[in-house]
Each structure stands twice: as C-alpha cells, then as structure tokens.
C-alpha cells in the first residue's frame, strides 16, 4: 500500500493519511493541479486557504518571513504535534495554497508515516479528509464512504484523538490563539513564559 500511496502523491494525486488529530487529505502543495484536485474532492470554497504540512523548522523558515523570536522554541516544544502556526508568507508560498493571503499556516503532524511522506514529498497540503462543512473523519471507513471509495490511503484509526489542533497566530505584534485545541495557552506559557500573548 505504501508504494501505491507514494505513486499517487508523485503523480499529483491525493491520499488520506492520519495525523495526531483527524485524517487529512494530502497532496503536493507546490503542484497547482494536485491542490485543485483536493479542493474539488472536498468541495471546498477556493477562498478558504490551506496549510503547509512540513517536516522541520527549516521548512517553516523557507516559506515564511519576519519570524518572531519565540518560533524556534515553539517548534522545539510542541512539534511535531497538534499545533498550527500562522506566520507571514514569503513569495515562495503559491497563491493556490494560501488564497493570496499575506499569511500561511504550518502543520507538522506527528504520525511517523505521514511525517516521513512529508519529508519525502513535501511540503504537502493536508486539510481534514471530509466534504467541506461536514464533521472531520475520524475513522477510515467513514472517509471512504464520504468520498465514494475514490481515495486511497493509510488506515490507523487508533492514532487519532479527534481533537482539533490549536491554531496560534505569530504574524502580528502580539501572539493570538485563533482556535483552542489540545495544546492550551497555559501549556505554551509553561514552556515559553516570555511569549507576548494578546491580553484576554
């Protein structure tokens, strides 16, 4: 199955892979046709930007600019893991990924096979493997039903928590949590007390 998954990614297809939260629908981020294919499969509005799934801090630095001092410690403390980091995008981020926004999100999922595929084929997009607007798929069987058996991937239901990643925005002068997931503000402050969070 892994050989088929690699072949599908290589030719610009989409595959279902587990993260540590829910299943994602992964494809090569720098391949416009592959990204278009994911938008069509999910019936996702084109103005909804996608994250870049990467395998290292160097990858994040390669596709962003004006990174704050806390970035390196955030990555060291929480990635790979259920944290999405928003940064200012540089000109290497194609418009078909971040919908012409000035920012881009980064994910580094901790499933070992998924992370290895990102390392080999990345950066990858990997939005949740569901039809847009519906609940995220947490069992492989549900996902196959959603997509009428038209996708292939790696089944590992046991690895998933079903809980969303925390989204943290580092693109402004103050740090904001845009979505609270399994990593809390308190978790982050415990590791990085000096992080300049926006007052709540």
């Amino acid at each position: 199955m892994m050989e088929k998954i690699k072949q599908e990614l290589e030719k610009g297809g989409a595959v279902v892979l587990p993260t540590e939260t829910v299943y994602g629908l992964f494809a090569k981020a720098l391949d416009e046709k592959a990204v278009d294919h994911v938008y069509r499969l999910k019936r996702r509005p084109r103005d909804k930007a996608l994250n870049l799934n990467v395998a290292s801090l160097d990858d994040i630095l390669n596709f962003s600019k004006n990174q704050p001092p806390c970035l390196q410690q955030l990555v060291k403390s929480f990635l790979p893991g259920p944290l999405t980091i928003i940064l200012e995008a540089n000109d290497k981020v194609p418009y078909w990924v971040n919908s012409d926004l000035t920012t881009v999100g980064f994910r580094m999922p901790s499933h070992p096979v998924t992370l290895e595929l990102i390392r080999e084929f990345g950066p990858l997009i990997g939005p949740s493997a569901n039809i847009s607007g519906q609940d995220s798929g947490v069992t492989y069987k549900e996902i196959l039903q959603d997509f009428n058996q038209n996708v292939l991937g790696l089944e590992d239901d046991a690895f998933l928590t079903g809980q969303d990643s925390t989204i943290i925005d580092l693109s402004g002068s103050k740090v904001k949590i845009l979505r609270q997931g399994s990593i809390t503000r308190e978790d982050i402050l415990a590791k990085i007390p000096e992080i300049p969070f926006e007052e709540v």
Side-chain angles (χ1 to χ4, degrees):
M1 179 56 80
M2 281 306 299
E3 205 47 52
K4 287 184 178 178
I5 288 172
K6 289 183 178 184
Q7 288 171 2
E8 191 69 18
L9 283 171
E10 187 58 52
K11 72 179 186 183
V15 297
V16 174
L17 299 172
T19 66
E20 65 289 285
T21 54
V22 296
Y23 282 101
L25 191 60
F26 286 81
K28 291 199 287 187
L30 305 186
D31 182 335
E32 185 175 5
K33 288 182 179 177
V35 174
D36 282 344
H37 180 53
V38 169
Y39 269 105
R40 286 196 305 272
L41 275 175
K42 282 180 59 68
R43 300 175 216 159
R44 182 183 177 97
R46 286 308 308 228
D47 59 354
K48 282 190 74 175
L50 296 164
N51 295 327
L52 288 177
N53 284 262
V54 296
S56 69
L57 173 62
D58 284 346
D59 291 340
I60 295 175
L61 297 175
N62 193 38
F63 289 95
S64 63
K65 62 183 181 181
N66 300 326
Q67 303 91 352
C70 62
L71 173 65
Q72 188 164 350
Q73 202 167 346
L74 263 176
V75 171
K76 183 179 177 183
S77 299
F78 296 104
L79 297 182
L83 185 69
T84 300
I85 296 175
I86 308 291
L87 289 162
E88 286 187 61
N90 65 22
D91 57 10
K92 293 181 183 177
V93 180
Y95 67 87
W96 58 79
V97 167
N98 69 337
S99 303
D100 265 343
L101 296 176
T102 58
T103 57
V104 63
F106 294 93
R107 275 278 275 132
M108 196 185 298
S110 64
H111 192 284
V113 176
T114 302
L115 192 59
E116 188 53 44
L117 287 167
I118 293 167
R119 198 170 279 120
E120 185 172 347
F121 294 97
L124 302 178
I125 57 164
S128 56
N130 60 332
I131 304 301
S132 193
Q134 297 183 7
D135 290 339
S136 300
V138 291
T139 73
Y140 195 69
K141 185 177 178 183
E142 288 173 335
I143 291 165
L144 289 182
Q145 289 171 347
D146 282 350
F147 292 106
N148 298 316
Q149 316 292 321
N150 287 335
V151 292
L152 61 85
L154 175 68
E155 183 174 6
D156 191 356
D157 295 352
F159 199 87
L160 310 179
T161 64
Q163 190 174 7
D164 288 328
S165 67
T166 296
I167 301 176
I168 187 168
D169 186 351
L170 305 184
S171 65
S173 58
K174 292 289 185 180
V175 174
K176 303 175 190 174
I177 289 183
L178 303 184
R179 180 177 74 192
Q180 184 64 72
S182 56
I183 296 171
T184 66
R185 178 188 175 105
E186 288 70 32
D187 293 333
I188 294 168
L189 283 169
K191 295 282 189 181
I192 316 169
E194 69 278 11
I195 193 167
F197 270 122
E198 189 176 61
E199 294 300 321
V200 291

